Amino acid sequence: VHLKIRFNAKQAPFILSQPIHSSQQVIYSDEFFTEITLHVIINFELISWIYSFGPEVEVIEPAWFRDQISEDLKKAYKSYET
């Protein structure tokens, strides 16, 4: 699967110095955010890695995976509501 992921400026140095996968390519970077692409199989390890960045990461593409991550995070948020 071809993924496009956006990281905020705080995480960019880590992402650039510690690539998650050999297919990682930077497609955009400025003082606000960095976008990368990955060609990977979506699995538990990848999803956990994405979640580990919390609000500092955003899945851009594919839309179905973005929606999946969004729904999972909404469910997690509801677990903490009073």
Side-chain angles (χ1 to χ4, degrees):
V1 174
H2 174 82
L3 295 181
K4 184 191 285 185
I5 304 175
R6 178 181 294 158
F7 293 90
N8 68 15
K10 179 180 175 184
Q11 290 301 322
F14 174 75
I15 296 305
L16 297 175
S17 68
Q18 301 291 323
I20 183 176
H21 191 264
S22 62
S23 68
Q24 179 174 316
Q25 292 185 341
V26 176
I27 55 172
Y28 183 82
S29 189
D30 65 16
E31 68 271 17
F32 303 109
F33 64 89
T34 295
E35 287 185 358
I36 64 167
T37 60
L38 300 168
H39 295 280
V40 293
I41 295 172
I42 294 175
N43 58 25
F44 178 77
E45 181 181 12
L46 175 69
I47 293 169
S48 296
W49 178 79
I50 290 169
Y51 291 156
S52 74
F53 291 97
E56 298 166 349
V57 65
E58 178 183 2
V59 173
I60 306 297
E61 295 175 357
W64 66 266
F65 187 54
R66 178 185 170 90
D67 293 344
Q68 176 185 332
I69 296 294
S70 176
E71 288 302 313
D72 289 349
L73 292 173
K74 287 174 187 173
K75 289 176 188 175
Y77 176 77
K78 287 182 182 184
S79 296
Y80 288 91
E81 289 184 318
T82 56

